[in-house]
Amino acid sequence: MLSTAALLANTPPQLLPARELMAFTLASHILLVPFGVALPLITLLMHHRALRRDDAVALQLARRWSAVMAVQFAIGVVTGTVLSFELGLLWPGMMGRWGDVFGLGFGIEAWAFFLEAVLIAIYLYGWRRLKPWTHFWLAVPLPLTALMGAFGIIAANSWMNTPQGFRLDAQGNPVDVNVRQAIFTPMFGPEYWHFVVAMFMTAGYVVAGVYAVGWLRGRRDRYHRLGFTLPFTVAAILTPVQFMLGDSAARAVFHKQPVKFAAMEIVWKTDTHVPEYLFGRLNTDGTISGGLKIPQLDSILAGFKPSTQVTGLTSVPAADRPTAVQATIAHWAFDIMVTVGSLLILLALWYAWSWLRHRDLPRSRWFFRCAAIAGVACLVTVECGWITTEVGRQPWIVYNQMRVSEAVTDTRAGSLWAMLGIIMAVYVAVFGAFLAVILKMRTRWRIADEGSASARAALPPESDTPYGPRSEPEPTAAGAAPGGGSDRTSSGAS
Amino acid sequence: MMADLIAWVMVLVIAAYACAGGTDYGAGFWDLLAGGAERGKRPRWLIDHAMAPVWEVNNVWLIFVLIIMWTAFPTMFQAVFAALWLPLALAAVGLVLRGAGFALRKPTRRLAQRRIYGAMFAISSLLTPFFLGAALGGIASGRVAVGTTASADAWANSTSVLAGLLAIAATAFLGAVFLCSDARRFGADDLVDYFRLRALLAFAAVVLLALIGLPVTHSDAPYVWEGLTGGLGLLLIVLAAVCGLATVLALLRRSYGWSRYTSVASVALTVGAWGFAQRPYLLPTSLTVAQAAGAAHTLRWLAIVTVIAIVLVGPALVLLYRLDTLGELEPLTDADTRAARTPGDNL
């Protein structure tokens, strides 16, 4: 009790708004990351199919996905830029002391991202004039740049979890920096692969989910079938892989950040034969209320045998570990992530079974209902994974080296609260508008598809040449006039 | 030694952002002044078309600036973000509104919504360069030092305000010059003269502000003032002025091909002159490059990363700009993705 009070006394008032602001902006940005990282690959797979088999439906899907990508990428760029500002605005203490130790990861991310921005611009705007295969091949490095960008960011984050690659001098300042060690930290490998696969799965399930909804509403044409099957297959293949990666990541935390692991599993006292709690709440006196207790399981999961010793939260002073509330938050986030992951495995198995048996999608409506919510569930899981790793590290911003309270800016709490209010209002408006624009695009496409359904019987699906000059003169300068250009367009489509 | 090199890389990246990002901000500035929906339709159409493929790339330079700052000069990064909290926070908000406004305006098909997104984009195109310029002014005037706490004095002073206004004028100049040649490229001949006039006006504004700046900054930012009015700093400033005048001449003679290069050179040279003027300080007169430098090993690796970046990003960037100027990059239209009008669409 006393230590909690001391902890509160040491907490500067601007810490709470600074953390809320960082949490809010990161939580928002992270929802767009799966699409920045993985949507290019999924689109390219579809694009490749279109070119290889001269498949007009696939081409249409690839084009529409790239139209969505254009808006999504733009919003992702700006929310990402805000984060790099916030590292300075909110955590100048961390950047000032440790910037030269772990900053290089961001440097790698920056050039990878630069390349991604260049290539994505060429891809998005190259549909009309570039030669089909040239256009495709120019975009092929895109997924690689995305992986490289993720490499840089995860290198920085994993360093915050398991900092190394420096020595502290007498004043406690880092010296003898070794960049290679600072990038390839113990948590880097597990975190990186877990993150990357999560991004691909999420993008796959979200995109497939859109077409699953259409399927449930009775639109059972080839367009919806293809739009569902390709991304869903990518995601379903990765799901069991992710389960293994997640497991190894959790075990890496057990070995490298035992106190964080204790928070994730709400283990109070270091012990063997530790039970596993599914959900439940940790109280400040170490008791656990609610939740489902499974004897011995935590020790078994951590070290494959019940006699494995699991470090408890009380192994370090109260000031050096997450509070009961923080531990409970990390625990719930972790459990939700594991639960959703397990359910997704069942979904992937269902799909695989049906494919092996009939070479076809499952016929059950329940399958499509589950597929429709799998994307949302994945987004929730991404948030949970991030909460687990960030809240579980408390009170450290650099694990065992610097507290969050030492890194925070000196700016008054009032200014930070005001900034939080402004950013929340702006982000709600921007994300709301983004969603509205995307939904509007979908509606316009659906109307066009339904309107042309009757005409399609007589005409090939894509009557216009997919590449090169249009069959009708392009509205040039005057095309910007309302009515003129888009009128012609719509009459052409319907 | 290595620290000096990285410091120059940082100046170069800032110059690149000032030119590439600056052109974009300038386009936003003219979007703001283009008039009502009817009158401003054609300039806005041009701005949309010219900016769309390159604006994301143009703005990534800023991320590079920040990363080089915190990786190579962490103490300077900490000092700058502590002292200039408010202008930098406002610039960040401006960046969000600007990017989102521009990205969301394109796929929107209703006039009322386009107006809102357009206003978001245009107003923040004015505010963001102002605050970034004001932050630079705060640094140049020596108001930022290690340990300076956030205060209005660091950025609400005559040098900062002038630097902010100069940033706006310079971006407007760059934007108009580029839009001139874009107008010709897209065959919108009426807009060539429209933006030619604006480029000349913006240049006049730059000159006027620079002249006002001379006496105002003399006592307010003495160190940088001395550097800019003597030695290499002065040489670069003179070269920048020559390039600026060459741009004006090219515009008057309607040779728009060259005007883009000379306008970019004049802005880049000005940034370079500021770099020379501030030597050897990162934060005049309290923190030198050598004092602020981070770990030697990191600096070496940052140099390697920079070289890799140049090798990989350089050709890609050239390809993008080349395709763009050749008119190979065009947005997908409703016909390409097959979209229909929905009730309420009026664009």
Side-chain angles (χ1 to χ4, degrees):
Chain A
M1 229 19 241
L2 207 118
S3 54
T4 317
L7 206 63
L8 282 174
N10 280 337
T11 307
Q14 70 271 27
L15 185 62
L16 183 64
R19 287 188 57 190
E20 298 293 325
L21 183 51
M22 194 72 196
F24 178 75
T25 42
L26 242 169
S28 314
H29 179 68
I30 213 168
L31 291 175
L32 295 169
V33 174
F35 306 101
V37 172
L39 197 54
L41 178 80
I42 293 173
T43 307
L44 281 173
L45 289 174
M46 188 59 90
H47 191 175
H48 185 261
R49 184 191 178 94
L51 292 178
R52 194 66 187 269
R53 306 191 185 177
D54 201 15
D55 185 338
V57 175
L59 188 70
Q60 177 139 325
L61 280 163
R63 281 185 173 189
R64 286 181 176 177
W65 292 351
S66 89
V68 173
M69 212 195 300
V71 189
Q72 168 270 319
F73 191 74
I75 307 286
V77 171
V78 291
T79 54
T81 311
V82 168
L83 288 178
S84 54
F85 266 87
E86 282 184 350
L87 287 176
L89 291 172
L90 302 177
W91 317 111
M94 173 174 67
M95 303 316 287
R97 161 118 43 115
W98 305 101
D100 56 342
V101 186
F102 82 119
L104 200 72
F106 292 107
I108 296 169
E109 191 271 347
W111 68 252
F113 181 65
F114 206 133
L115 209 52
E116 188 177 1
V118 171
L119 292 172
I120 215 162
I122 294 176
Y123 186 63
L124 296 177
Y125 292 92
W127 283 102
R128 311 198 61 183
R129 298 252 182 266
L130 296 177
K131 288 201 190 93
W133 280 104
T134 313
H135 176 225
F136 173 80
W137 284 113
L138 279 174
V140 164
L142 257 180
L144 296 177
T145 60
L147 288 183
M148 202 65 212
F151 174 95
I153 291 291
I154 298 296
N157 185 265
S158 65
W159 181 87
M160 288 162 70
N161 279 303
T162 43
Q164 63 171 32
F166 60 89
R167 196 171 56 75
L168 291 181
D169 66 5
Q171 286 89 46
N173 289 317
V175 288
D176 289 346
V177 174
N178 182 323
V179 170
R180 204 136 27 111
Q181 279 183 18
I183 286 185
F184 296 99
T185 57
M187 276 312 289
F188 173 72
E191 216 185 308
Y192 178 69
W193 292 111
H194 189 54
F195 172 81
V196 164
V197 174
M199 295 301 107
F200 281 95
M201 263 176 72
T202 307
Y205 280 130
V206 170
V207 175
V210 172
Y211 298 93
V213 171
W215 192 268
L216 284 169
R217 289 186 180 159
R219 289 188 278 278
R220 308 209 165 169
D221 45 13
R222 181 146 180 282
Y223 174 81
H224 279 82
R225 194 185 162 82
L226 195 58
F228 176 82
T229 312
L230 188 139
F232 194 85
T233 308
V234 170
I237 290 171
L238 289 174
T239 304
V241 176
Q242 179 69 332
F243 204 76
M244 310 298 289
L245 288 170
D247 183 60
S248 84
R251 225 181 301 284
V253 173
F254 169 69
H255 289 295
K256 306 295 176 194
Q257 293 180 279
V259 177
K260 183 198 253 190
F261 187 79
M264 281 156 58
E265 298 283 28
I266 45 174
V267 180
W268 188 251
K269 279 203 175 71
T270 307
D271 205 352
T272 56
H273 304 273
V274 178
E276 169 86 22
Y277 279 94
L278 297 180
F279 300 98
R281 194 178 84 237
L282 179 69
N283 301 312
T284 41
D285 58 0
T287 57
I288 290 165
S289 343
L292 182 64
K293 179 178 176 179
I294 306 170
Q296 314 256 11
L297 185 64
D298 196 36
S299 283
I300 296 173
L301 286 176
F304 304 112
K305 51 180 193 281
S307 58
T308 307
Q309 189 178 63
V310 179
T311 308
L313 283 167
T314 49
S315 63
V316 290
D320 291 348
R321 64 183 191 227
T323 62
V325 175
Q326 287 166 343
T328 305
I329 291 173
H331 176 62
W332 272 71
F334 181 63
D335 279 8
I336 292 172
M337 173 165 63
V338 175
T339 310
V340 173
S342 312
L343 292 174
L344 287 175
I345 290 236
L346 295 179
L347 189 66
L349 285 176
W350 189 349
Y351 180 68
W353 175 249
S354 167
W355 200 258
L356 288 174
R357 284 287 300 276
H358 328 287
R359 302 267 147 209
D360 199 4
L361 299 173
R363 287 177 204 130
S364 165
R365 286 180 72 81
W366 276 107
F367 172 78
F368 286 95
R369 282 187 190 126
C370 294
I373 55 168
V376 182
C378 265
L379 287 171
V380 171
T381 316
V382 168
E383 295 281 8
C384 284
W386 166 68
I387 290 170
T388 308
T389 193
E390 297 302 297
V391 177
R393 195 179 57 225
Q394 298 303 318
W396 304 103
I397 195 163
V398 179
Y399 197 59
N400 283 338
Q401 299 287 344
M402 181 184 251
R403 283 162 207 282
V404 181
S405 54
E406 296 169 76
V408 75
T409 172
D410 287 331
T411 304
R412 280 179 303 117
S415 314
L416 288 173
W417 284 116
M419 181 78 179
L420 176 63
I422 293 169
I423 287 277
M424 278 176 104
V426 166
Y427 271 39
V428 166
V430 165
F431 276 77
F434 166 64
L435 211 61
V437 163
I438 297 285
L439 290 175
K440 195 79 187 172
M441 279 159 90
R442 183 203 59 171
T443 309
R444 294 169 67 236
W445 290 334
R446 199 187 64 223
I447 291 177
D449 287 350
E450 284 168 355
S452 61
S454 52
R456 213 182 260 183
L459 285 169
E462 183 97 345
S463 53
D464 230 335
T465 43
Y467 281 95
R470 310 275 78 195
S471 56
E472 57 188 336
E474 203 37 47
T476 49
S486 35
D487 255 344
R488 230 179 314 163
T489 310
S490 64
S491 59
S494 54
Chain B
M1 189 54 223
M2 193 52 101
D4 285 323
L5 183 75
I6 299 287
W8 279 114
V9 170
M10 186 162 79
V11 172
L12 277 180
V13 174
I14 293 174
Y17 182 61
C19 294
T23 309
D24 268 10
Y25 288 118
F29 178 82
W30 297 118
D31 191 297
L32 181 67
L33 297 190
E38 205 46 50
R39 200 155 57 87
K41 190 187 300 156
R42 302 243 321 125
R44 288 206 178 91
W45 163 82
L46 179 69
I47 288 163
D48 258 3
H49 257 61
M51 262 181 74
V54 289
W55 77 271
E56 276 152 356
V57 174
N58 287 345
N59 280 287
V60 180
W61 290 110
L62 179 61
I63 300 180
F64 261 113
V65 177
L66 298 179
I67 285 168
I68 294 176
M69 264 170 85
W70 76 54
T71 309
F73 311 108
T75 30
M76 177 233 191
F77 180 78
Q78 180 174 8
V80 167
F81 272 81
L84 297 165
W85 197 87
L86 193 58
L88 291 171
L90 291 173
V93 173
L95 284 168
V96 181
L97 290 177
R98 190 182 126 83
F102 184 70
L104 295 173
R105 177 165 75 169
K106 266 181 296 170
T108 305
R109 292 288 175 271
R110 290 188 190 193
L111 185 61
Q113 286 169 358
R114 280 201 150 207
R115 278 208 175 110
I116 295 172
Y117 296 139
M120 246 164 80
F121 161 67
I123 293 171
S124 42
S125 291
L126 192 70
L127 295 180
T128 313
F130 176 81
F131 287 122
L132 290 176
L136 269 190
I139 294 171
S141 65
R143 286 183 167 84
V144 179
V146 174
T148 306
T149 49
S151 76
D153 174 61
W155 64 282
N157 55 72
S158 49
T159 305
S160 285
V161 171
L162 253 173
L165 292 176
L166 206 54
I168 293 176
T171 59
F173 170 61
L174 280 174
V177 169
F178 271 73
L179 285 167
C180 261
S181 46
D182 286 327
R184 229 170 41 138
R185 177 153 65 88
F186 290 121
D189 292 325
D190 53 325
L191 288 177
V192 177
D193 281 339
Y194 177 95
F195 282 113
R196 192 171 80 121
L197 175 67
R198 280 157 180 75
L200 296 172
L201 287 175
F203 185 76
V206 172
V207 172
L208 189 68
L209 284 168
L211 290 178
I212 295 174
L214 272 177
V216 171
T217 54
H218 182 106
S219 57
D220 200 44
Y223 189 83
V224 173
W225 196 90
E226 293 292 336
L228 285 176
T229 50
L232 273 171
L234 181 63
L235 177 68
L236 289 188
I237 282 287
V238 169
L239 284 176
V242 169
C243 286
L245 288 173
T247 314
V248 168
L249 209 65
L251 287 173
L252 289 175
R253 292 167 50 98
R254 296 174 197 278
S255 85
Y256 301 108
W258 281 101
S259 63
R260 282 185 305 174
Y261 299 107
T262 49
S263 65
V264 162
S266 71
V267 171
L269 284 167
T270 310
V271 174
W274 161 72
F276 268 106
Q278 219 171 276
R279 269 184 326 167
Y281 293 107
L282 281 176
L283 300 175
T285 50
S286 62
L287 187 73
T288 63
V289 171
Q291 287 165 345
H297 198 244
T298 305
L299 291 177
R300 211 156 46 234
W301 272 95
L302 192 61
I304 294 171
V305 165
T306 308
V307 171
I308 296 174
I310 293 169
V311 170
L312 284 176
V313 177
L317 206 57
V318 170
L319 177 69
L320 174 69
Y321 284 137
R322 182 110 191 101
L323 289 174
D324 188 41
T325 41
L326 286 176
E328 295 282 315
L329 299 181
E330 261 193 40
L332 285 170
T333 62
D334 284 354
D336 295 301
T337 55
R338 290 160 65 83
R341 287 172 72 90
T342 56
D345 290 359
N346 47 11
L347 275 174

